[in-house]
Structures are given as structure tokens and as C-alpha cells.
Amino acid sequence: MTSTTTIGTTADTPIAPAPEAAEVELLIGGMTCASCAARVEKKLNRMDGVSATVNYATEKAKVSYPAGIQVADLIATVVKTGYTAEEPAPPEPETPSAPAADPELASLRERLTVSAVLALPVVLLSMIPALQFDNWQWLALTLAAPVVVWGGLPFHKAALTNARHGAATMDTLVSVGTLAAFGWSLWALFWGDAGMAGMHDEFRLTVSRTDGASTIYLEVAAGVVALILLGRYLEARSKRRAGAALRALMELGAKDVAVLRDGREVRLPVGELKVGDHFVVRPGEKIATDGTVVEGVSAVDASMLTGESVPVDVAPGDTVTGATVNAGGRLVVAASRVGSDTQLARMARLVEDAQNGKAEVQRLADRISGIFVPVVLLIALGTFGTWLAVTGDTAAAFTAAVAVLIIACPCALGLATPTALMVGTGRGAQLGILIKGPEVLESTRRVDTVVLDKTGTITTGRMTLQEVYVAEGTDESRLLRLAGALEHASEHPVARAVAAGAEERVGTLPPAEHFENMPGRGVRGRVEGREVAVGRLYDTLPEELTRAASEAESRGRTAVVVGWDGEARGIVAVADAVKETSAEAVRELRALGLTPVLLTGDNRAVADAVAAAVGISPGDVIAEVLPEDKVDVVRRLQGEGRTVAMVGDGVNDAAALAAGDLGLAMGTGTDAAIEASDLTLVRGDLRVAADAIRLSRRTLGTIKGNLVWAFGYNVAALPLAAAGMLNPMIAGAAMAFSSVFVVSNSLRLRTFR
């Protein structure tokens, strides 16, 4: 809800319209933890009129900026903060080659491999006295030096860059900790007693009082660098896996297409396809773009796009979606949407926008990460001073301070929400569920009432022939043949339902002659030599047909009288058929603790019949509601203290979808409904609504579990390190494990069914 306030204006003072904000997405380089993202976000938001959200996991910034500010200004601000920024390159036409390797991941793997090979002997020599030969410490120094200097170079460079900008991040903690341990070891070796032949050392889990001049920390310096590189590598690989669903979605589309030009097929890249072009899709090929079938009959497999395993039959006049697979015969399709307008492109855009967003809980985590590192530096100094004052042991004080620096890195905090969101939204896209943003997850937890629009949501939205009643002595097949033949000439939805149902039951229909449409009453004409009339053209009906009509209407059907030669012969009952899966969907929604409410503009009899068919209580049926009054119904329910989810598919549902605490649009519906919703269900199956709420709740639960772990880990680990109960190398392993745990926990969402 928005409001406008005018201050200090008069009738003679024109109010200049506020300039529209533009949006840009920037790729941010050089971020190594959540506090980096918090710094970039803070600097961008300090610019006048700029609103920015920076996501550490996706390494992107979504920036809204006013007129007068250029994208170059935004990039310059990021660069001044110590990071790199650029606009994403336009997508290049893809060739069916092997996927490109990630250079950053390859570089990290190389650095990790070399560091691990060199660090392992150092750790073994330092931990196992039996392996310590004369002058072993000099071999350990030789092996550890490249690990600390070259292996840890990314940490040292980032720490130096941040220091120049007066900031401290996780890299500051790692760099200061490992360089301090290495520097102490150099001092002890060259100027203390640690360089003497026969020197022995042993590994301790906790801090103990030692002679500082004979104590070296080479295993800490090399081991921590190798462990944190391992954590970074596993984290980067997991982040790549977390975004795999979105990449797979973007790569689903066809690469080329056979376009009909002057009656001949011309093979073109799909990017050259234009709206209105007719293109050929052979069995087994992907449909190049959204369109309408103009020739051919087939079955289309949409499982990659919607999660629906059963192919859908299509014929001329049916719409098809790009990236789905033609499983049957040859089709000719007229392109209706191309490029960024296709359903696939819109799905990918929605998923990417959701992954770039932030839940409220993540904003809190980011704020904590932003101040956490400076606080840890102060705690480390305090730990060193306290130990030194209490014990007088410089080496013990130093060891405890280094453990504090290394264990406190807030990586897990920054990864808790984005990784779960990336995996959850990506998995949703594979199942035909599009989550528009992280704030949607919070809404799904609170919802207790789900309002279901009838037409197109619970029902198919198409009239179909349900029952046939015939007068005594009348043949049902003949009645259907004559009625179907006459109705076939009409475009009315009821007529189309009768004609289609008759054709399905009795086969080919005869032609109708002298067809006459009588608005509001029905149709009449000549079929097989009989004067046939269908509709409300008979003043009196036999008692048995009167009863049949009343019975049909009490069950929500529309009763149509059929007769010939001036005599009523039977009743055909049509209705908007309930989808086969709707009753199961209502049961699943109830199992989630939701109260289903049926909302419709139809009369009470129709509404009650549909509610009874799907298992909605009569007290939860709201009928005869005008389209513009649907919003009032949602607000009335909210006024009763309920948290309302609205499910709909039409233009007349858009306002109600926006008014609900949670809006779910059937993807088979209109663009207006999809735009107004929070969740889009790509296929028109109401069961997906229950799946969407379950997935959203599971994703939110994973985020909260990650944050509890990340907060709890730091809260518990810092006092242990400060109390001298953790060796710095154990602290490094624990810190690396914390990040890997959070990402691995998020990846469990990939198994959601």
C-alpha cells in the first residue's frame, strides 16, 4: 500500500514528477565473505537515491538508481570500496559443446592442491614427535613458506586492499592470524632457541604454558591456510551446484529451428525467429519458442519445464511452450512469443530475481557480519592482553589470540540464506514452481486460509458434457447425434461442449441445414430431415424431463433441452468440469494446516456442487461474488484475523492475488494474474499449490537451521578459543567445516519431491 504526502505546496506551485528509477545488475568481484557484501551494499546505498542489494552467494548486486547517476558511477563506487564491478555480458549464441570450465574454481583447486601437498608433511612433523629428526624444523619452514606466502596470497591481498579502505573482513582475520603464526615461528627459529639441532615439539589441542623462544607455529600457519582453502574450494563448488538448476533452466531452449519460408524449410538460429513465423517441429525435437499449433496432431512432453510427467495432446489451435519436446507427430507452429518474452525466459528471470533477493533474516545476518570482524579483532587483542597479564606467558597469550582470529570468520553467516534460496528456488523451477522472492517464504509459514477461485483453478475452465437424460422411447445416440450436429454450427461455450461431447460419444456428426441462432433462447435447424431445436424453446416438458432438469441444476449443471418435430425428447447437462486432481489437492492443503475456501461468481447450487466434489465444507463456500468484489472477500477474511493465500488464474483475480498475504497464480492463466502473484505454478494442477507451500516452508526451515548453526557456532567457539581450549589449527578446521556444513545442508533441498 502506498501513500502520497504533499508538503509546502500551493495551487500555483507545480509538482515535478519524481524521476523514474532505473535498475541494473552488476557482477561484483573480489568478495570473500558476507562482510564484503555488506560493505559494498553500504557504500552503494550511501549514494543519493540509490537502493542496492548485494548477494554474496550469487556475487551480484541489484541496484536501483535515479536519473543523473550513471552505471559508470555505480561501478566506480564499488571499485573505490576495493572490489571489481561490471555489467553482465549479453548472452552469446550457445553451441552444443562441453560446458566451459570455471577458471576461478580451477585456480582455487590448483592453489589448494599445492598447499595441501606441502602443508601435510609440516603438520605431521609438528604433531608426531617420533617423526622429528635433527633440524626437522628447517624442512618444515621450507615447506610452510610457500603455503603461507603463495597459498595464502588471496587472503593477504584482500586484507591489504581492505586495510587501505579502512575496513576489515574475514580475510583480515585469516591473514593476520597466519602471518602472525609464521612471523612468530621465524623469530623463534632465527633469534630464539627453536632453530637448534635436536629441538622437539608436540601438538596440543589446548593452549599450554611454554617457552616462547623455543615454540614454532608452522603447522598452524600452513595447516590453517590449507584448511581454509579447502573450505573455500568446497564452498565454491557447492555454490556452483546450488545455481545449477537455474543454469539448466536457461539451457533448456532449442538452439536452432526449421522455419517455413516460401513453402521450404530453412534452418536458422533460434535468435532469428520472429513473431508470426511458422516453424516445423519433428518428433523428438524441442519446440523452439512459445506458439500456436497450426498443423499436425501430437503429444508434447513438458516434464523438463513443468515437472509434469504425462505428455499433453495438442492439435491445431492449441498453444505450446518453448523448450518442451514434441513426443509424437510432425507439428507446424506459429511463433507467438520470442526471445525474452517466452515463458522459459520469464521463468529464468523470476528465479534469478528471487535468488538475488534477501529475506529479512539475512539482512540481520549481514548487519552482524558487517560489524563482526572489527569486534573479533578487539576480542583477539583483549585475549592476548588478558592471557599475558594473568600468566605472563607470551607464547600462550599469542596462541589463544590467533585461535580467536581464525575461528571467528563469519563465512557461514553470509552463506546461510543465499545458498538455501538458490537451491530451493532452483528446485522449485524444476518442479514448475516459481518463487518470486525470499520474503514469500516468510508468508508461507504464517498462512492459515487458502482462497481458491473456482473457474480455471479447481475446474478446467471449459464447459463439458456431463450427463444425458432421454424421454421414454428416445434413443440416446440419436439424440446426441442430432443435438451435436446442430450445436456444432454455434460458437457458444455450451454449444461447443455439447458438440464436442456428442462427437466423442457417437463419432462423426451429420451436417446441419437452415441453422438459426435465437439469442438467449437456443438454436434450431434441420438435421437428417428432422426439425431440431436445442435450448429453451419448449414451453412445456414431460414430467420425467422436468425432474431430470431440476436434478441436474441442483448439482450445478446447465440443463439444455433437445427435441425435434415440435416435441422435447431429452436433456443434455453441461458443466465446467472439476479437474481430476483438485480433490487430492484440497486434501493436501488441509494436511498443511490450511482451511480451503471456495470463491466463485457462479450461483450457490453450482458452487456447492463443486465444493462437495472436492471436499470443501459448505460453510467455506462464497458464491455469487462479482469479479471486483473478490478483493473485499480477501480483506474481510484478513479482518477476521486470518492470514490468507489466494489462488487464481484470471485477469479478474489479479487484484485479489495482490491483496492476499500470499498470491499463487496458475501458470496456465493470464499475465496479469502471474504478475500480481508471489508464487507461479507453471502447470494448471492445483496439487502444485500444496507442493509450492511445502517447498517454501522447507526452504525457510533450512535457512533458519543454517542461521542457528552459524550464530551458535560463533557464539560457542569464540569463548572456547579465548579461554585457550582450542589449538589454532583445530580452530581453522572448525571454521572451514562450518561453511561447508551450511552449504551442504542447503543442498539437501535438491532432493525435495
Side-chain angles (χ1 to χ4, degrees):
M1 187 171 181
T2 58
S3 62
T4 306
T5 306
T6 306
I7 301 172
T9 61
T10 68
D12 299 323
T13 309
I15 303 170
E20 283 193 22
E23 279 198 352
V24 68
E25 187 177 78
L26 299 177
L27 302 178
I28 308 295
M31 294 193 299
T32 54
C33 66
S35 53
C36 297
R39 283 190 60 231
V40 175
E41 189 173 295
K42 188 176 177 183
K43 290 284 187 182
L44 285 170
N45 283 327
R46 279 183 178 169
M47 298 174 72
D48 287 340
V50 171
S51 173
T53 301
V54 180
N55 190 312
Y56 166 52
T58 59
E59 297 178 335
K60 290 177 181 176
K62 192 172 182 180
V63 190
S64 173
Y65 60 98
I69 290 183
Q70 304 296 322
V71 174
D73 301 328
L74 302 173
I75 291 174
T77 298
V78 176
V79 171
K80 284 177 190 169
T81 313
Y83 304 90
T84 63
E86 61 181 1
E87 289 188 77
E92 295 178 7
E94 293 183 41
T95 54
S97 58
D102 184 339
E104 187 180 345
L105 202 62
S107 170
L108 197 51
R109 188 191 302 118
E110 180 187 16
R111 205 175 286 272
L112 167 63
T113 304
V114 173
S115 297
V117 167
L118 295 176
L120 183 61
V122 177
V123 173
L124 292 175
L125 284 169
S126 303
M127 289 177 66
I128 306 172
L131 298 178
Q132 294 171 0
F133 51 86
D134 282 350
N135 295 315
W136 67 271
Q137 64 272 40
W138 296 102
L139 174 62
L141 174 64
T142 305
L143 295 172
V147 177
V148 175
V149 176
W150 177 77
L153 188 61
F155 310 127
H156 308 320
K157 283 171 69 176
L160 187 61
T161 300
N162 287 317
R164 284 203 203 102
H165 293 88
T169 65
M170 169 200 153
D171 296 293
T172 308
L173 302 181
V174 176
S175 179
V176 170
T178 53
L179 288 177
F182 189 67
W184 180 287
S185 302
L186 289 177
W187 174 81
L189 285 167
F190 287 100
W191 291 281
D193 302 329
M196 297 173 62
M199 191 277 281
H200 287 277
D201 198 3
E202 60 182 281
F203 181 79
R204 302 172 187 87
L205 290 174
T206 60
V207 175
S208 58
R209 300 182 69 167
T210 58
D211 176 12
S214 61
T215 303
I216 58 175
Y217 296 97
L218 292 172
E219 82 282 4
V220 171
V224 165
V225 167
L227 282 167
I228 294 178
L229 283 172
L230 174 63
R232 283 273 177 93
Y233 174 71
L234 293 174
E235 177 189 307
R237 201 175 68 169
S238 297
K239 277 162 61 179
R240 186 170 171 80
R241 284 173 65 199
L246 177 59
R247 285 194 300 276
L249 190 65
M250 290 174 158
E251 291 166 7
L252 275 180
K255 303 296 181 285
D256 54 21
V257 58
V259 182
L260 289 175
R261 296 277 164 85
D262 299 323
R264 292 188 307 109
E265 292 183 24
V266 180
R267 184 65 64 170
L268 297 174
V270 76
E272 295 181 21
L273 200 59
K274 295 181 177 62
V275 172
D277 280 348
H278 286 205
F279 60 92
V280 176
V281 190
R282 290 185 173 78
E285 287 186 341
K286 287 181 181 177
I287 295 172
T289 194
D290 299 356
T292 303
V293 177
V294 294
E295 184 183 315
V297 176
S298 183
V300 171
D301 178 3
S303 58
M304 290 184 292
L305 206 61
T306 68
E308 175 58 70
S309 57
V310 180
V312 178
D313 292 331
V314 295
D318 290 334
T319 57
V320 290
T321 305
T324 55
V325 177
N326 179 14
R330 178 182 182 272
L331 293 175
V332 177
V333 179
S336 59
R337 285 175 172 165
V338 296
S340 60
D341 291 332
T342 64
Q343 183 170 330
L344 176 67
R346 289 159 66 203
M347 283 175 66
R349 203 157 51 240
L350 280 170
V351 175
E352 191 164 24
D353 286 347
Q355 293 183 350
N356 284 337
K358 288 189 183 181
E360 199 53 45
V361 285
Q362 179 62 29
R363 295 188 185 281
L364 173 64
D366 285 353
R367 284 197 293 273
I368 291 171
S369 297
I371 61 170
F372 192 72
V373 173
V375 168
V376 168
L377 288 170
L378 291 175
I379 292 173
L381 285 172
T383 300
F384 181 82
T386 303
W387 270 80
L388 194 60
V390 172
T391 66
D393 187 338
T394 309
F398 174 80
T399 307
V402 169
V404 167
L405 286 173
I406 289 169
I407 202 157
C409 298
C411 280
L413 275 179
L415 291 167
T417 296
T419 51
L421 199 59
M422 286 171 73
V423 182
T425 53
R427 181 61 183 146
Q430 291 175 331
L431 297 173
I433 301 164
L434 304 183
I435 302 170
K436 278 200 175 174
E439 61 283 348
V440 171
L441 305 178
E442 296 281 2
S443 302
T444 60
R445 180 175 57 86
R446 297 190 299 268
V447 164
D448 54 34
T449 302
V450 56
V451 176
L452 306 171
D453 176 60
K454 181 185 78 72
T455 306
T457 301
I458 292 179
T459 64
T460 60
R462 297 188 311 275
M463 301 295 275
T464 56
L465 180 62
Q466 301 290 312
E467 291 126 3
V468 180
Y469 305 89
V470 293
E472 189 176 347
T474 303
D475 178 62
E476 182 179 314
S477 295
R478 187 180 189 195
L479 181 134
L480 279 173
R481 192 169 65 255
L482 296 179
L486 191 61
E487 293 282 52
H488 195 270
S490 172
E491 290 300 315
H492 193 280
V494 170
R496 287 205 300 269
V498 172
E503 198 165 28
E504 188 178 312
R505 297 187 190 192
V506 301
T508 306
L509 301 173
E513 300 171 330
H514 309 300
F515 174 82
E516 185 181 356
N517 182 19
M518 307 179 72
R521 297 188 64 205
V523 293
R524 62 188 178 190
R526 191 171 183 81
V527 181
E528 294 184 339
R530 300 287 185 184
E531 295 294 334
V532 182
V534 181
R536 300 173 183 172
L537 298 171
Y538 295 91
D539 297 325
T540 58
L541 297 176
E543 187 180 340
E544 58 186 318
L545 293 185
T546 302
R547 278 200 312 272
S550 298
E551 184 185 331
E553 286 171 352
S554 70
R555 296 210 306 274
R557 314 287 196 232
T558 298
V560 181
V561 182
V562 180
W564 55 87
D565 296 340
E567 186 180 340
R569 310 284 182 153
I571 300 283
V572 289
V574 300
D576 182 3
V578 173
K579 293 177 183 176
E580 292 178 3
T581 57
S582 291
E584 184 184 342
V586 168
R587 287 195 297 274
E588 290 181 8
L589 291 168
R590 284 194 191 282
L592 290 169
L594 305 175
T595 302
V597 173
L598 175 64
L599 179 65
T600 179
D602 283 340
N603 63 54
R604 186 79 199 186
V606 172
D608 285 343
V610 171
V614 298
I616 294 177
S617 307
D620 292 322
V621 176
I622 303 172
E624 299 175 15
V625 177
L626 294 173
E628 58 269 25
D629 294 335
K630 289 183 178 181
V631 175
D632 296 332
V633 171
V634 171
R635 289 186 177 143
R636 191 182 77 228
L637 291 169
Q638 290 168 328
E640 294 172 4
R642 303 200 205 186
T643 304
V644 179
M646 173 73 196
V647 186
D649 74 329
V651 172
N652 58 8
D653 298 322
L657 286 166
D661 299 284
L662 181 69
L664 296 92
M666 308 297 278
T668 49
T670 63
D671 289 350
I674 291 169
E675 282 299 317
S677 67
D678 301 304
L679 286 160
T680 300
L681 316 176
V682 175
R683 60 183 203 262
D685 185 341
L686 189 56
R687 289 177 302 180
V688 185
D691 290 339
I693 291 172
R694 281 196 303 113
L695 174 62
S696 298
R697 287 180 176 178
R698 180 86 63 84
T699 304
L700 182 64
T702 302
I703 288 171
K704 291 191 170 178
N706 285 347
L707 286 169
V708 166
W709 165 264
F711 276 116
Y713 161 82
N714 281 120
V715 168
L718 269 175
L720 290 176
M725 299 176 71
L726 286 176
N727 178 285
M729 198 172 72
I730 300 298
M735 191 279 290
F737 169 75
S738 177
S739 296
V740 173
F741 170 84
V742 162
V743 178
S744 301
N745 188 45
S746 297
L747 286 171
R748 291 191 308 128
L749 287 167
R750 295 173 75 189
T751 62
F752 177 86
R753 293 285 180 269

